Structure formats: structure tokens, C-alpha cells
């Protein structure tokens, strides 16, 4: 049928870990422990969605972080430095990720509705396999288990923003047309990944990295602040090329209905 057959979901900030705090907090701690360099949570969020080694590399190139690094060491960050921060990051992230494995509100019901509609559930992440091997079973204990998952270091070609993890989901799930697939993500590299794979892309403006609040903070937040943060997040996701931007995964069925109508008229991503 000419309709969406599969959705490929990101993890942190999309299906689990409202606000995407598990990776960002650990980047701050890894920089501090490895080299005594302070970075802010806001800086840690900037490259979110990339593989974690590439994320550290991108952080080192931020002008504010580079200035602090140059002031401390008299040179720019190099590959050996990135390796050391990554080696510090990994055990911290593996130990902590299970604490952020609870599905975001609405995810369980949405996944059930998608499956009832015959839609397959794929997933991929900027996390490496060693982290995913802890996160996946922990999320399953809370009731979220996609049909397949791909980690950022699983494929020789690489991770985001390339299309390879998304396309590996297509292969594993047995989907015969990428135009009937949807990539859902809360960060720009994941949107680019979906576009590069030829898929419809949906950004999540509130549950994820760009909004950057815990569930508790969000619930207590003034309406005006919510609107400001939502507009900021949506603008970044639309700038990355998202076809649609909604608040959270709970809004996805309505988007799928719109895309199905477009597919029925012969439109493609």
C-alpha cells in the first residue's frame, strides 16, 4: 500500500530521556575528568545527534571551548585528546544510561497505535553499541522495544549525518521503498540523516535536545517560556530540512495521516 510502512526513531530525546540529558551531562563530566576543562551543558548540546567521538571533536571546535582549551594548553584539541575524552566518556555513559531509559510520556501508546496500523518500528542512535547494549534492555523493561536498532559504530560507513543507519533499518525491516519510511529525531544531524536516506523527516521540538528541559521543568514552565523554547527548537529542525515538526512522539499519528494523504496523491519526500 502507498502509505508509511516504517518509522525509524532516535533514542535520547525522542523515545527515552526527555530533554536528552544522559549524553549531555556525561560530556561535561568527561571533559572535566580527562583534562580539567569546563564546558557548559548548553555547549554540550550543540553537536547532539552525531556519533560520540565526532561529538567530542565538534565540541573542541566550538569557539568558546577552543578558547578555553587554548588558554590551558596553548594549542587546539587534537585526535589524541579526543581519544582520551572518549575513553573517559564511555564507562561513565555506560554506567549512567540506564538511569535515563524511561520512555517519554506518550511513547508506549504511540508505538502500540503504530503497530496496530501495521507500521514497523526501527531505531538508531548516536550512542555506540556498548551503550546501546545497556540502554535497549533497560528500555524494554519499561515497555519500549523497537523491532530493530542500529548503533553509530555498527557500520563501517559511519553514522550521522550520513544515511547509513537509517538505511540499515530499511534492510533489516524489509521495507521496499524509502519514500514510505519516516525518520523521527530531536536533533539536526538526525533530520539530515533521514533526508540523505530519502525519507520523510519529522523533528521533535519539545521532548528533546533543542528544548533542553527535564520533564519536571517542562511541566512547571511558564507558557511564554515554553513557546520561546519551542520556537527556537522548531526553527533549528526546520532549518535542517524537517518536513514536519511536532512537540513529541505522541503527535506522530497525525503527521503520518497527513503524509499518507500526500503519498496517495503521488508525492514523495
Amino acid at each position: 500500500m502507498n502509505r508509511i510502512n516504517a518509522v525509524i526513531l532516535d533514542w535520547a530525546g525522542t523515545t527515552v530521556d526527555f530533554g536528552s540529558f544522559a549524553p549531555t551531562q556525561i560530556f561535561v563530566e568527561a571533559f572535566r575528568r580527562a583534562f580539567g576543562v569546563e564546558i557548559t551543558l548548553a555547549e554540550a548540546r550543540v553537536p547532539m545527534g552525531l556519533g560520540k567521538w565526532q561529538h567530542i571533536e565538534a565540541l573542541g571546535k566550538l569557539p568558546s571551548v577552543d578558547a578555553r582549551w587554548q588558554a590551558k594548553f596553548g594549542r587546539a584539541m587534537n585526535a589524541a585528546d579526543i581519544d582520551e575524552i572518549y575513553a573517559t566518556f564511555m564507562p561513565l555513559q555506560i554506567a549512567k544510561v540506564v538511569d535515563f531509559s524511561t520512555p517519554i510520556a506518550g511513547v508506549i501508546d504511540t508505538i502500540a497505535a503504530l503497530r496496530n496500523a501495521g507500521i514497523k518500528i526501527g531505531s538508531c542512535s548516536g550512542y555506540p553499541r556498548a551503550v546501546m547494549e545497556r540502554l535497549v534492555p533497560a528500555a524494554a523493561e519499561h515497555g519500549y522495544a523497537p523491532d530493530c536498532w542500529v548503533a553509530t559504530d555498527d557500520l563501517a560507513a559511519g553514522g550521522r549525518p550520513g544515511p547509513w543507519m537509517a538505511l540499515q533499518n530499511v534492510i533489516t525491516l524489509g521495507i521496499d521503498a524509502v519514500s514510505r519510511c519516516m525518520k523521527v529525531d530531536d536533533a539536526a544531524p538526525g533530520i539530515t540523516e533521514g533526508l540523505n536516506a530519502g525519507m520523510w523527516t519529522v523533528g521533535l521540538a519539545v521532548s528533546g535536545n533543542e528544548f533542553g528541559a527535564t520533564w519536571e521543568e517542562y511541566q512547571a514552565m511558564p507558557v511564554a517560556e515554553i513557546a520561546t523554547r519551542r520556537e527556537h527548537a522548531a526553527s533549528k529542525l526546520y532549518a535542517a530540512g524537517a518536513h514536519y515538526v511536532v512537540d513529541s512522539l505522541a503527535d506522530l499519528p497525525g503527521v503520518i495521516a497527513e503524509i499518507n494523504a500526500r503519498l496517495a496523491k503521488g508525492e514523495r519526500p
Side-chain angles (χ1 to χ4, degrees):
M1 293 178 63
N2 200 17
R3 59 177 178 80
I4 292 295
N5 292 332
V7 296
I8 298 162
L9 308 173
D10 179 47
W11 281 76
T14 297
T15 53
V16 300
D17 186 11
F18 190 99
S20 194
F21 279 88
T24 49
Q25 289 179 338
I26 301 301
F27 282 123
V28 173
E29 184 64 21
F31 269 76
R32 180 183 297 131
R33 289 197 187 190
F35 286 100
V37 173
E38 296 294 329
I39 66 169
T40 68
L41 202 59
E43 287 167 338
R45 290 188 179 281
V46 173
M48 191 57 64
L50 298 176
K52 301 315 174 194
W53 196 97
Q54 291 75 19
H55 189 127
I56 295 166
E57 180 183 37
L59 283 174
K61 292 178 180 178
L62 290 179
S64 57
V65 176
D66 178 60
R68 268 174 253 141
W69 193 278
Q70 296 267 9
K72 188 176 180 70
F73 299 110
R75 59 173 177 79
M77 182 188 293
N78 60 36
D81 300 328
I82 299 168
D83 287 341
E84 187 165 344
I85 296 170
Y86 185 81
T88 304
F89 169 88
M90 280 295 289
L92 293 171
Q93 188 69 89
I94 291 168
K96 197 68 176 174
V97 74
V98 296
D99 296 338
F100 295 85
S101 59
T102 303
I104 292 166
V107 166
I108 300 300
D109 289 343
T110 300
I111 296 299
L114 297 181
R115 283 184 165 141
N116 286 338
I119 296 173
K120 296 180 179 180
I121 312 298
S123 70
C124 55
S125 177
Y127 283 136
R129 174 161 283 269
V131 176
M132 292 299 290
E133 287 175 344
R134 293 292 302 276
L135 176 58
V136 171
E141 289 182 6
H142 292 295
Y144 172 59
D147 298 324
C148 68
W149 58 271
V150 182
T152 194
D153 56 349
D154 278 349
L155 305 174
R160 299 168 183 154
W164 306 291
M165 290 195 295
L167 294 176
Q168 183 60 56
N169 273 269
V170 172
I171 294 167
T172 302
L173 295 172
I175 305 302
D176 61 2
V178 292
S179 62
R180 295 197 285 271
C181 294
M182 174 187 290
K183 177 70 206 305
V184 185
D185 209 295
D186 64 296
I191 297 299
T192 307
E193 171 191 27
L195 294 172
N196 286 337
M199 299 175 180
W200 298 94
T201 59
V202 180
L204 303 183
V206 172
S207 69
N209 177 68
E210 297 299 343
F211 195 89
T214 66
W215 173 255
E216 293 75 20
E217 289 168 343
Y218 169 56
Q219 293 297 295
M221 196 173 286
V223 172
E225 185 178 353
I226 291 174
T228 299
R229 287 187 180 225
R230 179 189 284 121
E231 183 178 0
H232 163 78
S235 66
K236 292 195 73 171
L237 293 164
Y238 276 127
H243 294 100
Y244 296 85
V245 175
V246 294
D247 285 357
S248 73
L249 202 70
D251 302 307
L252 200 61
V255 177
I256 290 174
E258 288 191 40
I259 292 176
N260 284 344
R262 294 176 67 176
L263 285 168
K265 291 187 287 188
E267 293 187 44
R268 294 293 182 268

